[in-house]
Amino acid sequence: MVAKPFLEKIVKQLSDVEAKVLSLPIPIAAMMTSEYLTRELPRYPELIEWADIIIAPGFTKGDLKDVAKKLGKPVYKGCLYAYDIPILVEYLKKGGELSTVNPLDELLSKEKKRREEIILAELRREATKSCFEVGGKPVSPKYPLIMGEVFVNEEVDFDTIASKAHRLVSHGSDILVIGSSRLPLDVVADYSKKVKRLLNIPVGLDYFKYEDFSSLSDGEVDILLSFPADSILHFNPKEEFRKTAVVLIPDPFSTTVGDKISSLRAGLKHAIDKGFGKIILDPVLNPPQQAFIESLYAFKTARKEFPGYPILMGVSNFTELIDADSIGVNAVLASIGVEAGVDLFLVTEESAKTSYSVREFRKALDMALLAREMEKPPKDFSVNLLVCKSKKRRGLKPQELVNPVKASRPYPLKADPSGYFKIYVDHDQEAIIVEHYKHGDSKPSITILGTDPSAIINEILERKLASAPEHFYYLGRELWKAKTALKLGKDYVQDEELF
């Protein structure tokens, strides 16, 4: 009823199709059911006779099969939102089939997702043909690997490292790297061995004293980062150690693209002479505004110069050195890396602003690979990195403002006799923590953990931890802020604005 003028405007713009809008006496489409349509539509026999197909709002509840049986005409669910009607019409013109159960949006999204999963599965299958492996993982630009790094500069309880490692793997890391610039190598190596046993995943070491690598035994680690090209000449590995993958970087004073490529070429020759069988080249990505563009050209050149060797790109040189949300930066770097033919990406989450970078990069990489295979820009896939902004506005607003009142006075909060709450966000545990205090107590009476504000509120209700209505309003506001902060990897401080 409310949407009729908007629908008629859209229908008038359709070409090569005749369509009429039927307005039923119901306030909004979301209230419509199959039973309602079975009862109401027979009251419009002329329109039913005229139509070849009847399309109900996508929000209609129930199966429309019985409605079609009653009318003797096909009745299907359309799209959820009116602005997608042109998409629906084009879909039908191409022979697409609608459903009596699911709206068009779900049909298209399921089909799109299924097609994309087939493409990515085929890329993973093609990648297994690679003769180069790291810890059993095939290394190929067909489906590049992500190496997530846990950086440790002081001795900590292994549970802390295990927790971070678990999170990185669950977010998409194919290989885990333990890095340090301070701890003794035997301590860092011990961490990596424990992680490997715990998660059964390839592990690597990113260590500042490459000369100490010679003390390692075969099988302890699967990949070592990183050897400056000129250092390999002076490195004498054990025989069995030569089976470990090693990453070569240009000499520190190599600044131009030509210098980097020459340095890598010399280091590659030395590594081969030393008997290394698995050599990975990293031309080194420069930070923004510090010859970044030239470093990108070095990656493209390295891919052409060394076609038989994997290329690694460490993206933290960019993500950690720019004060911008990592989600957009990772999306761009993944696309650049895929286009440059990169085989492995090293991703870190060392600062708060790069939290969840592995998860972001996994999605970004899938988007870039799909775009490459489908020869289109990385957009309009079932997977995306649109978190804070929408792809398009749905235009959902009332047709007219009835008795508008401008809200200007905030609701005054009063002390609740049942107590008060302290709310925290633990990004490591991926949880919202809520402490309840009775007035006058210095220790909480109970601590509630969760991720769903509704579930936390329900726990508070059942335990009668709050009683004032305005207190529940306050809790709802703060808990949704906490959930948003948790989802975005953003810092949360109770009673402070999130943005």
Side-chain angles (χ1 to χ4, degrees):
M1 230 172 149
V2 175
K4 186 179 180 182
F6 183 47
L7 285 168
E8 288 179 333
K9 181 180 178 182
I10 292 175
V11 166
K12 284 179 182 178
Q13 296 170 356
L14 299 176
S15 58
D16 303 324
V17 66
E18 286 186 70
K20 292 182 180 180
V21 177
L22 173 61
S23 178
L24 295 174
I26 192 169
I28 55 174
M31 296 174 65
M32 202 169 288
T33 65
S34 57
E35 291 83 2
Y36 176 83
L37 291 179
T38 303
R39 186 174 66 250
E40 288 292 324
L41 288 179
R43 298 178 182 179
Y44 304 88
E46 290 184 8
L47 189 60
I48 301 302
E49 182 62 31
W50 171 85
D52 296 313
I53 181 175
I54 299 165
I55 299 176
F59 282 109
T60 305
K61 296 179 178 64
D63 191 338
L64 303 185
K65 186 167 52 180
D66 291 337
V67 184
K69 187 176 179 181
K70 175 85 172 178
L71 299 177
K73 289 285 181 79
V75 182
Y76 299 110
K77 290 187 182 181
C79 43
L80 294 175
Y81 301 101
Y83 65 74
D84 282 332
I85 287 177
I87 296 175
L88 184 151
V89 172
E90 289 303 313
Y91 175 75
L92 290 174
K93 284 181 180 178
K94 293 176 182 177
E97 295 184 358
L98 298 177
S99 167
T100 61
V101 177
N102 299 311
L104 176 67
D105 308 63
E106 289 185 20
L107 295 178
L108 293 181
S109 64
K110 286 179 181 178
E111 175 57 28
K112 182 186 291 186
K113 187 175 182 180
R114 187 188 68 83
R115 187 171 67 250
E116 292 167 7
E117 287 174 348
I118 290 173
I119 293 172
L120 293 174
E122 178 60 21
L123 291 177
R124 286 190 286 266
R125 191 189 66 78
E126 290 182 21
T128 60
K129 298 176 183 177
S130 171
C131 58
F132 196 110
E133 292 186 347
V134 173
K137 297 275 188 178
V139 178
S140 166
K142 281 290 184 181
Y143 194 84
L145 300 180
I146 294 177
M147 303 197 304
E149 182 164 6
V150 178
F151 211 76
V152 190
N153 267 339
E154 56 183 30
E155 291 194 43
V156 294
D157 184 72
F158 179 69
D159 287 344
T160 302
I161 295 174
S163 176
K164 291 181 179 179
H166 267 295
R167 188 178 74 247
L168 294 182
V169 171
S170 68
H171 287 176
S173 286
D174 301 292
I175 299 170
L176 273 174
V177 176
I178 307 297
S180 181
S181 59
R182 295 178 188 169
L183 293 177
L185 180 64
D186 59 338
V187 174
V188 185
D190 186 58
Y191 286 147
S192 68
K193 286 185 285 185
K194 287 180 178 177
V195 166
K196 186 172 184 175
R197 286 196 298 267
L198 177 68
L199 300 178
N200 191 30
I201 190 171
V203 297
L205 284 181
D206 185 1
Y207 198 62
F208 67 109
K209 289 184 178 179
Y210 58 85
E211 60 269 17
D212 290 355
F213 285 149
S214 59
S215 64
L216 297 171
S217 300
D218 180 45
E220 286 189 322
V221 294
D222 301 289
I223 182 170
L224 298 172
L225 296 83
S226 296
F227 288 88
D230 62 351
S231 69
I232 288 289
L233 184 64
H234 312 292
F235 188 74
N236 295 305
K238 299 174 184 177
E239 182 68 31
E240 69 274 14
F241 178 68
R242 294 170 187 171
K243 299 175 184 177
T244 303
V246 295
V247 177
L248 295 185
I249 59 175
D251 298 330
F253 298 108
S254 301
T255 54
T256 68
V257 173
D259 290 343
K260 284 186 173 184
I261 299 303
S262 295
S263 179
L264 286 175
R265 187 181 295 111
L268 179 60
K269 181 180 184 304
H270 296 322
I272 293 171
D273 291 342
K274 289 286 183 178
F276 284 102
K278 293 184 177 181
I279 304 165
I280 298 169
L281 306 177
D282 177 6
V284 180
L285 190 70
N286 285 13
Q289 304 305 319
Q290 296 183 32
F292 169 69
I293 297 296
E294 192 161 3
S295 71
L296 291 181
Y297 185 57
F299 276 89
K300 194 68 175 175
T301 306
R303 179 74 288 160
K304 292 179 181 177
E305 289 282 326
F306 312 108
Y309 292 90
I311 302 294
L312 179 144
M313 177 183 283
V315 300
S316 60
N317 275 4
F318 201 107
T319 56
E320 296 285 2
L321 296 174
I322 184 170
D323 280 344
D325 290 333
S326 61
I327 195 164
V329 179
N330 282 323
V332 172
L333 291 177
S335 278
I336 289 172
V338 166
E339 189 170 329
V342 171
D343 302 80
L344 305 99
F345 293 90
L346 179 64
V347 182
T348 66
E349 299 184 359
E350 276 314 291
S351 63
K353 67 186 178 186
T354 56
S355 298
Y356 306 122
S357 275
V358 168
R359 184 170 65 189
E360 296 164 3
F361 211 90
R362 177 82 279 160
K363 286 188 175 183
L365 193 53
D366 283 351
M367 288 168 60
L369 293 171
L370 288 168
R372 181 189 68 191
E373 296 304 303
M374 297 171 73
E375 299 182 358
K376 56 174 283 188
K379 65 187 294 288
D380 299 327
F381 297 122
S382 64
V383 58
N384 64 69
L385 286 168
L386 293 168
V387 174
C388 292
K389 294 184 179 181
S390 300
K391 188 177 177 69
K392 55 184 177 181
R393 300 196 188 280
R394 295 177 178 175
L396 300 178
K397 56 184 179 181
Q399 294 293 312
E400 62 175 313
L401 300 178
V402 180
N403 297 327
V405 176
K406 187 175 181 180
S408 57
R409 291 186 299 121
Y411 192 88
L413 296 177
K414 301 175 184 177
D416 189 334
S418 298
Y420 62 96
F421 296 87
K422 290 185 179 180
I423 303 172
Y424 308 90
V425 168
D426 187 331
H427 288 286
D428 291 329
Q429 299 299 321
E430 297 187 13
I432 300 170
I433 300 172
V434 179
E435 294 178 337
H436 175 262
Y437 290 81
K438 293 179 180 178
H439 293 292
D441 290 354
S442 58
K443 291 185 178 181
S445 62
I446 191 171
T447 302
I448 303 171
L449 291 88
T451 57
D452 181 4
S454 297
I456 295 172
I457 289 287
N458 186 54
E459 200 69 38
I460 291 170
L461 274 167
E462 288 186 352
R463 296 176 180 275
K464 296 181 173 58
L465 301 177
S467 55
E470 60 267 28
H471 201 181
F472 283 104
Y473 144 72
Y474 168 82
L475 286 169
R477 183 190 72 190
E478 288 300 315
L479 288 172
W480 278 102
K481 279 169 52 184
K483 181 177 181 177
T484 302
L486 183 63
K487 188 172 184 178
L488 298 180
K490 197 170 177 65
D491 198 27
Y492 168 81
V493 180
Q494 191 171 350
D495 295 326
E496 289 189 8
E497 291 291 333
L498 201 56
F499 297 99

PDB file of all heavy atoms in Angstrom, residues 418-441:
ATOM      1  N   SER A 418      19.748  -1.839  41.774  1.00  0.00           N
ATOM      2  CA  SER A 418      20.259  -3.211  41.615  1.00  0.00           C
ATOM      3  C   SER A 418      21.757  -3.255  41.357  1.00  0.00           C
ATOM      4  O   SER A 418      22.362  -4.324  41.342  1.00  0.00           O
ATOM      5  CB  SER A 418      19.531  -3.918  40.466  1.00  0.00           C
ATOM      6  OG  SER A 418      18.159  -4.024  40.728  1.00  0.00           O
ATOM      7  N   GLY A 419      22.379  -2.093  41.135  1.00  0.00           N
ATOM      8  CA  GLY A 419      23.826  -2.067  40.910  1.00  0.00           C
ATOM      9  C   GLY A 419      24.201  -1.403  39.599  1.00  0.00           C
ATOM     10  O   GLY A 419      23.369  -0.780  38.937  1.00  0.00           O
ATOM     11  N   TYR A 420      25.481  -1.543  39.234  1.00  0.00           N
ATOM     12  CA  TYR A 420      25.972  -0.937  37.994  1.00  0.00           C
ATOM     13  C   TYR A 420      26.903  -1.924  37.285  1.00  0.00           C
ATOM     14  O   TYR A 420      27.284  -2.974  37.837  1.00  0.00           O
ATOM     15  CB  TYR A 420      26.691   0.389  38.283  1.00  0.00           C
ATOM     16  CG  TYR A 420      27.919   0.272  39.154  1.00  0.00           C
ATOM     17  CD1 TYR A 420      29.188   0.176  38.594  1.00  0.00           C
ATOM     18  CD2 TYR A 420      27.808   0.260  40.551  1.00  0.00           C
ATOM     19  CE1 TYR A 420      30.321   0.079  39.400  1.00  0.00           C
ATOM     20  CE2 TYR A 420      28.929   0.154  41.361  1.00  0.00           C
ATOM     21  CZ  TYR A 420      30.181   0.063  40.779  1.00  0.00           C
ATOM     22  OH  TYR A 420      31.297  -0.047  41.571  1.00  0.00           O
ATOM     23  N   PHE A 421      27.289  -1.565  36.042  1.00  0.00           N
ATOM     24  CA  PHE A 421      28.075  -2.485  35.215  1.00  0.00           C
ATOM     25  C   PHE A 421      29.328  -1.805  34.668  1.00  0.00           C
ATOM     26  O   PHE A 421      29.331  -0.603  34.402  1.00  0.00           O
ATOM     27  CB  PHE A 421      27.242  -2.984  34.028  1.00  0.00           C
ATOM     28  CG  PHE A 421      26.052  -3.810  34.416  1.00  0.00           C
ATOM     29  CD1 PHE A 421      24.834  -3.198  34.713  1.00  0.00           C
ATOM     30  CD2 PHE A 421      26.141  -5.184  34.477  1.00  0.00           C
ATOM     31  CE1 PHE A 421      23.733  -3.950  35.055  1.00  0.00           C
ATOM     32  CE2 PHE A 421      25.037  -5.944  34.823  1.00  0.00           C
ATOM     33  CZ  PHE A 421      23.834  -5.335  35.120  1.00  0.00           C
ATOM     34  N   LYS A 422      30.378  -2.619  34.509  1.00  0.00           N
ATOM     35  CA  LYS A 422      31.573  -2.203  33.779  1.00  0.00           C
ATOM     36  C   LYS A 422      31.688  -3.127  32.558  1.00  0.00           C
ATOM     37  O   LYS A 422      31.586  -4.349  32.684  1.00  0.00           O
ATOM     38  CB  LYS A 422      32.822  -2.307  34.642  1.00  0.00           C
ATOM     39  CG  LYS A 422      32.875  -1.275  35.760  1.00  0.00           C
ATOM     40  CD  LYS A 422      34.196  -1.348  36.529  1.00  0.00           C
ATOM     41  CE  LYS A 422      34.249  -0.294  37.623  1.00  0.00           C
ATOM     42  NZ  LYS A 422      35.528  -0.346  38.394  1.00  0.00           N
ATOM     43  N   ILE A 423      31.874  -2.516  31.395  1.00  0.00           N
ATOM     44  CA  ILE A 423      31.875  -3.270  30.141  1.00  0.00           C
ATOM     45  C   ILE A 423      33.234  -3.144  29.450  1.00  0.00           C
ATOM     46  O   ILE A 423      33.795  -2.043  29.355  1.00  0.00           O
ATOM     47  CB  ILE A 423      30.756  -2.755  29.212  1.00  0.00           C
ATOM     48  CG1 ILE A 423      29.404  -2.855  29.929  1.00  0.00           C
ATOM     49  CG2 ILE A 423      30.732  -3.543  27.899  1.00  0.00           C
ATOM     50  CD1 ILE A 423      28.262  -2.191  29.177  1.00  0.00           C
ATOM     51  N   TYR A 424      33.763  -4.274  28.983  1.00  0.00           N
ATOM     52  CA  TYR A 424      35.053  -4.314  28.297  1.00  0.00           C
ATOM     53  C   TYR A 424      34.930  -5.137  27.018  1.00  0.00           C
ATOM     54  O   TYR A 424      34.017  -5.946  26.867  1.00  0.00           O
ATOM     55  CB  TYR A 424      36.132  -4.951  29.188  1.00  0.00           C
ATOM     56  CG  TYR A 424      36.260  -4.349  30.564  1.00  0.00           C
ATOM     57  CD1 TYR A 424      35.517  -4.853  31.636  1.00  0.00           C
ATOM     58  CD2 TYR A 424      37.124  -3.285  30.804  1.00  0.00           C
ATOM     59  CE1 TYR A 424      35.636  -4.311  32.903  1.00  0.00           C
ATOM     60  CE2 TYR A 424      37.248  -2.734  32.072  1.00  0.00           C
ATOM     61  CZ  TYR A 424      36.497  -3.249  33.119  1.00  0.00           C
ATOM     62  OH  TYR A 424      36.616  -2.713  34.374  1.00  0.00           O
ATOM     63  N   VAL A 425      35.895  -4.937  26.112  1.00  0.00           N
ATOM     64  CA  VAL A 425      35.999  -5.759  24.910  1.00  0.00           C
ATOM     65  C   VAL A 425      37.381  -6.401  24.901  1.00  0.00           C
ATOM     66  O   VAL A 425      38.397  -5.703  24.993  1.00  0.00           O
ATOM     67  CB  VAL A 425      35.795  -4.927  23.623  1.00  0.00           C
ATOM     68  CG1 VAL A 425      36.201  -5.736  22.390  1.00  0.00           C
ATOM     69  CG2 VAL A 425      34.341  -4.490  23.500  1.00  0.00           C
ATOM     70  N   ASP A 426      37.427  -7.725  24.848  1.00  0.00           N
ATOM     71  CA  ASP A 426      38.688  -8.468  24.778  1.00  0.00           C
ATOM     72  C   ASP A 426      38.842  -8.975  23.347  1.00  0.00           C
ATOM     73  O   ASP A 426      38.200  -9.945  22.949  1.00  0.00           O
ATOM     74  CB  ASP A 426      38.666  -9.641  25.769  1.00  0.00           C
ATOM     75  CG  ASP A 426      40.015 -10.344  25.872  1.00  0.00           C
ATOM     76  OD1 ASP A 426      40.755 -10.328  24.872  1.00  0.00           O
ATOM     77  OD2 ASP A 426      40.319 -10.911  26.938  1.00  0.00           O
ATOM     78  N   HIS A 427      39.706  -8.306  22.589  1.00  0.00           N
ATOM     79  CA  HIS A 427      39.881  -8.691  21.186  1.00  0.00           C
ATOM     80  C   HIS A 427      40.636 -10.003  21.041  1.00  0.00           C
ATOM     81  O   HIS A 427      40.428 -10.722  20.062  1.00  0.00           O
ATOM     82  CB  HIS A 427      40.606  -7.570  20.422  1.00  0.00           C
ATOM     83  CG  HIS A 427      39.747  -6.364  20.193  1.00  0.00           C
ATOM     84  ND1 HIS A 427      38.736  -6.336  19.262  1.00  0.00           N
ATOM     85  CD2 HIS A 427      39.739  -5.146  20.791  1.00  0.00           C
ATOM     86  CE1 HIS A 427      38.145  -5.155  19.275  1.00  0.00           C
ATOM     87  NE2 HIS A 427      38.740  -4.408  20.199  1.00  0.00           N
ATOM     88  N   ASP A 428      41.514 -10.323  21.997  1.00  0.00           N
ATOM     89  CA  ASP A 428      42.240 -11.590  21.916  1.00  0.00           C
ATOM     90  C   ASP A 428      41.297 -12.775  22.076  1.00  0.00           C
ATOM     91  O   ASP A 428      41.401 -13.777  21.376  1.00  0.00           O
ATOM     92  CB  ASP A 428      43.340 -11.652  22.983  1.00  0.00           C
ATOM     93  CG  ASP A 428      44.472 -10.671  22.708  1.00  0.00           C
ATOM     94  OD1 ASP A 428      44.726 -10.407  21.512  1.00  0.00           O
ATOM     95  OD2 ASP A 428      45.081 -10.169  23.666  1.00  0.00           O
ATOM     96  N   GLN A 429      40.369 -12.659  23.035  1.00  0.00           N
ATOM     97  CA  GLN A 429      39.395 -13.726  23.263  1.00  0.00           C
ATOM     98  C   GLN A 429      38.142 -13.566  22.409  1.00  0.00           C
ATOM     99  O   GLN A 429      37.255 -14.422  22.432  1.00  0.00           O
ATOM    100  CB  GLN A 429      38.994 -13.755  24.750  1.00  0.00           C
ATOM    101  CG  GLN A 429      40.149 -14.022  25.699  1.00  0.00           C
ATOM    102  CD  GLN A 429      40.809 -15.363  25.459  1.00  0.00           C
ATOM    103  OE1 GLN A 429      40.130 -16.344  25.174  1.00  0.00           O
ATOM    104  NE2 GLN A 429      42.130 -15.407  25.568  1.00  0.00           N
ATOM    105  N   GLU A 430      38.068 -12.443  21.676  1.00  0.00           N
ATOM    106  CA  GLU A 430      36.914 -12.124  20.834  1.00  0.00           C
ATOM    107  C   GLU A 430      35.626 -12.205  21.652  1.00  0.00           C
ATOM    108  O   GLU A 430      34.677 -12.931  21.310  1.00  0.00           O
ATOM    109  CB  GLU A 430      36.859 -13.058  19.614  1.00  0.00           C
ATOM    110  CG  GLU A 430      38.067 -12.906  18.705  1.00  0.00           C
ATOM    111  CD  GLU A 430      37.963 -13.693  17.408  1.00  0.00           C
ATOM    112  OE1 GLU A 430      36.855 -14.161  17.090  1.00  0.00           O
ATOM    113  OE2 GLU A 430      38.977 -13.834  16.721  1.00  0.00           O
ATOM    114  N   ALA A 431      35.605 -11.451  22.746  1.00  0.00           N
ATOM    115  CA  ALA A 431      34.444 -11.505  23.649  1.00  0.00           C
ATOM    116  C   ALA A 431      34.169 -10.143  24.258  1.00  0.00           C
ATOM    117  O   ALA A 431      35.064  -9.290  24.394  1.00  0.00           O
ATOM    118  CB  ALA A 431      34.693 -12.522  24.757  1.00  0.00           C
ATOM    119  N   ILE A 432      32.888  -9.938  24.621  1.00  0.00           N
ATOM    120  CA  ILE A 432      32.478  -8.782  25.423  1.00  0.00           C
ATOM    121  C   ILE A 432      32.424  -9.250  26.872  1.00  0.00           C
ATOM    122  O   ILE A 432      31.858 -10.307  27.166  1.00  0.00           O
ATOM    123  CB  ILE A 432      31.079  -8.271  24.989  1.00  0.00           C
ATOM    124  CG1 ILE A 432      31.096  -7.848  23.513  1.00  0.00           C
ATOM    125  CG2 ILE A 432      30.638  -7.101  25.858  1.00  0.00           C
ATOM    126  CD1 ILE A 432      29.712  -7.570  22.942  1.00  0.00           C
ATOM    127  N   ILE A 433      33.034  -8.489  27.765  1.00  0.00           N
ATOM    128  CA  ILE A 433      33.074  -8.852  29.186  1.00  0.00           C
ATOM    129  C   ILE A 433      32.268  -7.823  29.968  1.00  0.00           C
ATOM    130  O   ILE A 433      32.508  -6.611  29.856  1.00  0.00           O
ATOM    131  CB  ILE A 433      34.521  -8.898  29.708  1.00  0.00           C
ATOM    132  CG1 ILE A 433      35.333  -9.933  28.913  1.00  0.00           C
ATOM    133  CG2 ILE A 433      34.558  -9.222  31.196  1.00  0.00           C
ATOM    134  CD1 ILE A 433      36.808  -9.913  29.229  1.00  0.00           C
ATOM    135  N   VAL A 434      31.302  -8.295  30.751  1.00  0.00           N
ATOM    136  CA  VAL A 434      30.429  -7.410  31.521  1.00  0.00           C
ATOM    137  C   VAL A 434      30.515  -7.786  33.003  1.00  0.00           C
ATOM    138  O   VAL A 434      30.203  -8.922  33.382  1.00  0.00           O
ATOM    139  CB  VAL A 434      28.968  -7.513  31.040  1.00  0.00           C
ATOM    140  CG1 VAL A 434      28.069  -6.598  31.869  1.00  0.00           C
ATOM    141  CG2 VAL A 434      28.865  -7.152  29.557  1.00  0.00           C
ATOM    142  N   GLU A 435      30.958  -6.836  33.818  1.00  0.00           N
ATOM    143  CA  GLU A 435      31.032  -7.051  35.266  1.00  0.00           C
ATOM    144  C   GLU A 435      29.880  -6.320  35.953  1.00  0.00           C
ATOM    145  O   GLU A 435      29.613  -5.155  35.642  1.00  0.00           O
ATOM    146  CB  GLU A 435      32.361  -6.534  35.823  1.00  0.00           C
ATOM    147  CG  GLU A 435      33.581  -7.288  35.332  1.00  0.00           C
ATOM    148  CD  GLU A 435      34.875  -6.702  35.881  1.00  0.00           C
ATOM    149  OE1 GLU A 435      34.872  -5.499  36.251  1.00  0.00           O
ATOM    150  OE2 GLU A 435      35.877  -7.424  35.930  1.00  0.00           O
ATOM    151  N   HIS A 436      29.216  -6.997  36.884  1.00  0.00           N
ATOM    152  CA  HIS A 436      28.145  -6.372  37.660  1.00  0.00           C
ATOM    153  C   HIS A 436      28.648  -6.091  39.080  1.00  0.00           C
ATOM    154  O   HIS A 436      29.257  -6.963  39.723  1.00  0.00           O
ATOM    155  CB  HIS A 436      26.915  -7.272  37.732  1.00  0.00           C
ATOM    156  CG  HIS A 436      25.839  -6.721  38.628  1.00  0.00           C
ATOM    157  ND1 HIS A 436      25.680  -7.134  39.937  1.00  0.00           N
ATOM    158  CD2 HIS A 436      24.886  -5.768  38.401  1.00  0.00           C
ATOM    159  CE1 HIS A 436      24.666  -6.468  40.474  1.00  0.00           C
ATOM    160  NE2 HIS A 436      24.175  -5.636  39.563  1.00  0.00           N
ATOM    161  N   TYR A 437      28.418  -4.882  39.560  1.00  0.00           N
ATOM    162  CA  TYR A 437      28.825  -4.476  40.904  1.00  0.00           C
ATOM    163  C   TYR A 437      27.598  -4.051  41.705  1.00  0.00           C
ATOM    164  O   TYR A 437      26.719  -3.365  41.185  1.00  0.00           O
ATOM    165  CB  TYR A 437      29.796  -3.295  40.839  1.00  0.00           C
ATOM    166  CG  TYR A 437      31.165  -3.625  40.292  1.00  0.00           C
ATOM    167  CD1 TYR A 437      31.368  -3.714  38.915  1.00  0.00           C
ATOM    168  CD2 TYR A 437      32.252  -3.840  41.143  1.00  0.00           C
ATOM    169  CE1 TYR A 437      32.625  -4.008  38.397  1.00  0.00           C
ATOM    170  CE2 TYR A 437      33.512  -4.121  40.640  1.00  0.00           C
ATOM    171  CZ  TYR A 437      33.686  -4.209  39.265  1.00  0.00           C
ATOM    172  OH  TYR A 437      34.922  -4.500  38.760  1.00  0.00           O
ATOM    173  N   LYS A 438      27.575  -4.452  42.943  1.00  0.00           N
ATOM    174  CA  LYS A 438      26.582  -3.912  43.862  1.00  0.00           C
ATOM    175  C   LYS A 438      27.142  -2.609  44.429  1.00  0.00           C
ATOM    176  O   LYS A 438      28.361  -2.467  44.589  1.00  0.00           O
ATOM    177  CB  LYS A 438      26.306  -4.904  44.994  1.00  0.00           C
ATOM    178  CG  LYS A 438      25.616  -6.177  44.506  1.00  0.00           C
ATOM    179  CD  LYS A 438      25.380  -7.159  45.652  1.00  0.00           C
ATOM    180  CE  LYS A 438      24.691  -8.417  45.145  1.00  0.00           C
ATOM    181  NZ  LYS A 438      24.489  -9.414  46.233  1.00  0.00           N
ATOM    182  N   HIS A 439      26.279  -1.671  44.711  1.00  0.00           N
ATOM    183  CA  HIS A 439      26.733  -0.371  45.212  1.00  0.00           C
ATOM    184  C   HIS A 439      27.539  -0.549  46.501  1.00  0.00           C
ATOM    185  O   HIS A 439      27.120  -1.238  47.435  1.00  0.00           O
ATOM    186  CB  HIS A 439      25.535   0.543  45.467  1.00  0.00           C
ATOM    187  CG  HIS A 439      24.823   0.939  44.211  1.00  0.00           C
ATOM    188  ND1 HIS A 439      25.381   1.752  43.256  1.00  0.00           N
ATOM    189  CD2 HIS A 439      23.577   0.619  43.748  1.00  0.00           C
ATOM    190  CE1 HIS A 439      24.527   1.919  42.265  1.00  0.00           C
ATOM    191  NE2 HIS A 439      23.423   1.241  42.540  1.00  0.00           N
ATOM    192  N   GLY A 440      28.722   0.051  46.519  1.00  0.00           N
ATOM    193  CA  GLY A 440      29.581  -0.023  47.686  1.00  0.00           C
ATOM    194  C   GLY A 440      30.610  -1.135  47.628  1.00  0.00           C
ATOM    195  O   GLY A 440      31.565  -1.140  48.415  1.00  0.00           O
ATOM    196  N   ASP A 441      30.468  -2.083  46.690  1.00  0.00           N
ATOM    197  CA  ASP A 441      31.418  -3.191  46.573  1.00  0.00           C
ATOM    198  C   ASP A 441      32.542  -2.835  45.606  1.00  0.00           C
ATOM    199  O   ASP A 441      32.328  -2.138  44.606  1.00  0.00           O
ATOM    200  CB  ASP A 441      30.723  -4.460  46.079  1.00  0.00           C
ATOM    201  CG  ASP A 441      29.795  -5.059  47.134  1.00  0.00           C
ATOM    202  OD1 ASP A 441      29.795  -4.541  48.269  1.00  0.00           O
ATOM    203  OD2 ASP A 441      29.086  -6.025  46.797  1.00  0.00           O
TER     204      ASP A 441
END
